[in-house]
Amino acid sequence: MRAKSLILLVVALGCGMVAAVAVSKAVMDNGSTDKVEAMVEIFVAVKDLPHAEKISAENVKLEKWPKTRVPEGALFALDQVEDKFTNQTIFAGEPILERKIRDTRESFSTGVPQGYRIFDIVGSAGYIKPGDHVDILGTFPTGGRNSPPESVTVMRNVKVHGINGITIRESENDQAPARGKGTVFQLLVKESQLEALTLANSMGTLQLNLRPFGEDEDDDTDNGETFLSWIDSQNEEPPETKAEPAKSNFLTRSLEMAAAAAPPAEEPKHQMLIITPNGVKKYEWSDKQQLPREVVEEPEQSENRQLSNMPANGYAGASG
């Protein structure tokens, strides 16, 4: 009986030792897991925050993130976020990063140098980013309704200051926002370029063409001289050409034939001078004419004829 109890006691002690080792191992594993998955609280957006939006405490919240996954520039204190302005659109659940906010709204325009202006062009080119240099090509209607349009280079080597109000270039790791139809490109142009660019934008359709990397340093800037010269050439009158005789139609040929066949007008055979208180009047007629026709002469001719033909009795008759 004692042997059986001793065996049971040994078995119980063995099971207890196994259980103790298992519990100890589990506790140790949990401790190491907590150390690897350490969490920290960072601020994220509660709702979509558009560009230049003022951030309030109601628009953000603290959210626990694994420490190893916290993005660079994440903010942990409320005074780093509150009353700041978004530098670009921040979507709900997205971390508030230092590079995506600014202290004041006025600071958005500090990137425009003296003597330059921002010109907006609507287009669609997802591969163009802020800081790129582009050429501007315009397509303009010419001539009448059936005349084909013509493409002309408006400007070269123009810097893209921003896109949809975002002036910061995304890094290779950041996902670029969608830039489809209706994207607004803010171009940094000289004040002297505004006239040509405004005229081109109102006349036709403008397209941005990305320049290869490195060509932005070339002195290939065009202030719009090419486009303005093209405008002047369109306004010039074409050289005068000798008008070709109109092709005679049937009616024209008939009138020409009738005029050629008609006998020449008969010269008047009879003349008559009548002396009046106002001077001498001359009439002429032919045998085929029923009524005499008054002939109006120059004053000198009329005076000479009057003196040469005046009879003594003051009457001049017909001469045949």
Side-chain angles (χ1 to χ4, degrees):
M1 196 67 183
R2 288 183 179 181
K4 186 176 181 180
S5 299
L6 183 59
I7 294 173
L8 292 175
L9 180 59
V10 172
V11 172
L13 289 175
C15 292
M17 291 179 64
V18 172
V21 172
V23 170
S24 178
K25 186 178 180 180
V27 171
M28 293 178 63
D29 290 342
N30 288 337
S32 61
T33 302
D34 292 340
K35 185 177 180 180
V36 173
E37 296 295 332
M39 307 293 286
V40 294
E41 290 184 335
I42 62 174
F43 277 98
V44 299
V46 175
K47 62 177 184 178
D48 292 348
L49 301 177
H51 173 255
E53 178 81 0
K54 186 176 182 179
I55 303 176
S56 63
E58 292 76 17
N59 295 336
V60 296
K61 69 176 181 179
L62 283 171
E63 186 174 275
K64 289 185 177 182
W65 277 53
K67 189 174 182 179
T68 56
R69 296 176 55 193
V70 173
E72 182 180 358
L75 302 177
F76 307 92
L78 182 61
D79 57 357
Q80 296 177 311
V81 178
E82 191 175 16
D83 296 331
K84 306 293 183 180
F85 295 87
T86 58
N87 189 37
Q88 63 185 73
T89 301
I90 301 177
F91 299 98
E94 183 179 351
I96 307 296
L97 305 181
E98 185 178 4
R99 66 175 179 271
K100 295 185 178 181
I101 61 175
R102 292 191 179 182
D103 293 335
T104 61
R105 184 179 280 116
E106 288 75 12
S107 61
F108 293 124
S109 60
T110 57
V112 182
Q114 190 72 21
Y116 284 78
R117 299 291 184 271
I118 298 296
F119 192 89
D120 292 344
I121 290 182
V122 179
S124 58
Y127 49 86
I128 296 178
K129 297 182 179 181
D132 287 337
H133 286 247
V134 297
D135 293 337
I136 304 175
L137 187 69
T139 304
F140 309 100
T142 58
R145 180 181 301 177
N146 297 326
S147 300
E150 188 170 348
S151 296
V152 181
T153 297
V154 178
M155 286 184 186
R156 289 190 177 92
N157 202 11
V158 179
K159 182 179 180 180
V160 179
H161 180 73
I163 302 175
N164 289 334
I166 302 174
T167 58
I168 295 180
R169 186 183 183 94
E170 306 92 1
S171 63
E172 298 298 331
N173 297 328
D174 292 339
Q175 183 177 3
R179 293 168 185 160
K181 186 176 181 181
T183 300
V184 181
F185 294 86
Q186 285 83 36
L187 304 181
L188 184 66
V189 298
K190 298 179 181 179
E191 189 175 359
S192 59
Q193 295 174 318
L194 280 178
E195 180 180 355
L197 195 54
T198 303
L199 179 62
N201 194 36
S202 63
M203 288 179 54
T205 303
L206 302 184
Q207 178 180 340
L208 305 182
N209 298 312
L210 182 64
R211 294 174 66 92
F213 180 76
E215 286 192 7
D216 55 326
E217 300 178 358
D218 296 343
D219 188 13
D220 192 24
T221 302
D222 187 346
N223 291 332
E225 294 89 350
T226 303
F227 169 70
L228 294 178
S229 299
W230 177 78
I231 291 292
D232 293 338
S233 66
Q234 296 298 309
N235 294 330
E236 292 179 357
E237 296 183 358
E240 296 183 359
T241 56
K242 186 176 180 181
E244 297 181 357
K247 296 181 180 180
S248 58
N249 52 25
F250 176 78
L251 178 59
T252 303
R253 292 196 301 270
S254 299
L255 293 177
E256 291 175 351
M257 293 174 62
E266 185 178 0
E267 295 293 332
K269 293 182 177 182
H270 307 284
Q271 295 182 353
M272 179 175 61
L273 299 177
I274 299 178
I275 300 175
T276 67
N278 297 326
V280 180
K281 291 186 177 182
K282 179 182 178 180
Y283 292 87
E284 294 179 346
W285 71 93
S286 64
D287 295 338
K288 295 182 179 182
Q289 289 179 325
Q290 297 180 355
L291 296 176
R293 178 178 59 86
E294 181 180 0
V295 179
V296 180
E297 296 181 344
E298 297 295 332
E300 294 182 358
Q301 296 178 355
S302 178
E303 182 178 357
N304 294 335
R305 184 175 294 278
Q306 178 180 356
L307 294 176
S308 62
N309 294 284
M310 182 179 295
N313 57 3
Y315 173 79
S319 61

